[in-house]
Amino acid sequence: MKIIVGMATFKGREDSCKKAIDSLLHQCDEIVLYDNERNPNLTDNGKFYGLKDLKEPVYYFTCDDDLFYPSNYIAQMITAIETHKCIVTHHGRKLVGLNVSYYRGHKSYRCLDDSRATDKIDVPGTGVTGFSTEYFHPTNLHESEYQKMSDLVFGLEAAKQQKKIMILPHLKGWIKQLPIDAKTAIFNTMVKSQDRNIQIANEIYTLNNGR
């Protein structure tokens, strides 16, 4: 199947975006880069834009413009997709209950740290997520009203469709953070106001736990 990478970017990320793309170019057939400065602002949901008009099944990888990916990243992800037959990721959260702080209260797995777990989770980190569109093919995630919340947007749609998300093991340093202005990181812009995050996390938790 064709391999497509979806990525979103915005003003100020030119250097990191180029490095992120360079790390992926030789690993895929196409990179769909959504530039929020030249198009309607979809924020990080722009990484889903490439899903809307696909006619044939593909492997689709949602990636971030501030990460540097290892040379075997996509090959290993495809192996994991075919092994687990589901959505796979190297970052995410397993929700532990209702009305819990989204950023501080749930069990989390970070793509930049050591992680030895292979576990079913609820919310993937969409900077390091891959899937086959034969298994999961949402077409309008880029249009979501929830912006700067792409992980939850993706996790909610997966929960609605009863699709499994698996966290994968990796070593610290396999995926690397590129230098950026910390003030532009979504965590730093959203962590102080979590009402919407908690609302969507509650919905995901309820769907996945039959409550």
Side-chain angles (χ1 to χ4, degrees):
M1 284 194 295
K2 188 175 181 180
I3 298 169
I4 296 179
V5 167
M7 184 183 294
T9 194
F10 55 93
K11 187 176 181 180
R13 290 284 182 90
E14 291 83 3
D15 289 343
S16 64
C17 184
K18 181 180 185 304
K19 291 174 182 175
I21 288 173
D22 286 346
S23 72
L24 292 162
L25 267 178
H26 68 287
Q27 302 188 55
C28 64
D29 299 302
E30 181 181 354
I31 295 178
V32 179
L33 178 66
Y34 190 89
D35 188 343
N36 285 294
E37 297 302 318
R38 300 183 179 185
N39 298 287
N41 188 9
L42 303 178
T43 66
D44 54 338
N45 292 332
K47 70 184 76 172
F48 306 132
Y49 188 79
L51 287 163
K52 68 183 185 69
D53 293 324
L54 294 176
K55 304 301 183 186
E56 302 292 336
V58 303
Y59 291 114
Y60 196 90
F61 295 89
T62 54
C63 295
D64 280 352
D65 65 351
D66 64 344
L67 294 177
F68 190 86
Y69 298 85
S71 60
N72 61 347
Y73 174 76
I74 285 180
Q76 288 205 12
M77 290 285 276
I78 289 174
T79 297
I81 290 167
E82 295 303 327
T83 298
H84 298 290
K85 305 298 183 185
C86 68
I87 301 159
V88 299
T89 188
H90 283 280
H91 188 107
R93 286 176 172 80
K94 190 177 184 73
L95 304 180
V96 300
L98 298 172
N99 301 316
V100 176
S101 167
Y102 177 67
Y103 287 108
R104 306 294 190 190
H106 299 290
K107 183 175 178 58
S108 63
Y109 302 89
R110 297 188 73 244
C111 66
L112 302 177
D113 295 337
D114 282 331
S115 177
R116 306 305 172 97
T118 303
D119 193 14
K120 183 177 180 292
I121 64 169
D122 300 286
V123 182
T126 52
V128 285
T129 292
F131 52 98
S132 165
T133 59
E134 285 186 317
Y135 179 75
F136 182 56
H137 187 187
T139 58
N140 60 353
L141 294 185
H142 63 288
E143 299 174 342
S144 173
E145 64 179 300
Y146 300 111
Q147 297 195 331
K148 297 186 178 181
M149 302 169 67
S150 63
D151 297 355
L152 284 161
V153 167
F154 188 103
L156 179 59
E157 185 60 28
K160 288 178 177 178
Q161 295 191 28
Q162 297 182 310
K163 300 300 184 182
K164 184 170 69 172
I165 305 169
M166 186 72 69
I167 193 78
L168 302 175
H170 57 266
L171 296 176
K172 183 176 182 178
W174 189 59
I175 296 165
K176 295 180 174 66
Q177 176 74 63
L178 290 165
I180 59 166
D181 181 349
K183 295 194 295 284
T184 68
I186 285 177
F187 172 84
N188 292 329
T189 62
M190 298 293 286
V191 68
K192 294 180 180 179
S193 179
Q194 297 188 52
D195 290 349
R196 288 187 305 166
N197 303 72
I198 292 171
Q199 172 194 339
I200 301 173
N202 283 347
E203 189 172 352
I204 294 169
Y205 182 84
T206 299
L207 286 166
N208 286 344
N209 290 276
R211 299 182 184 180

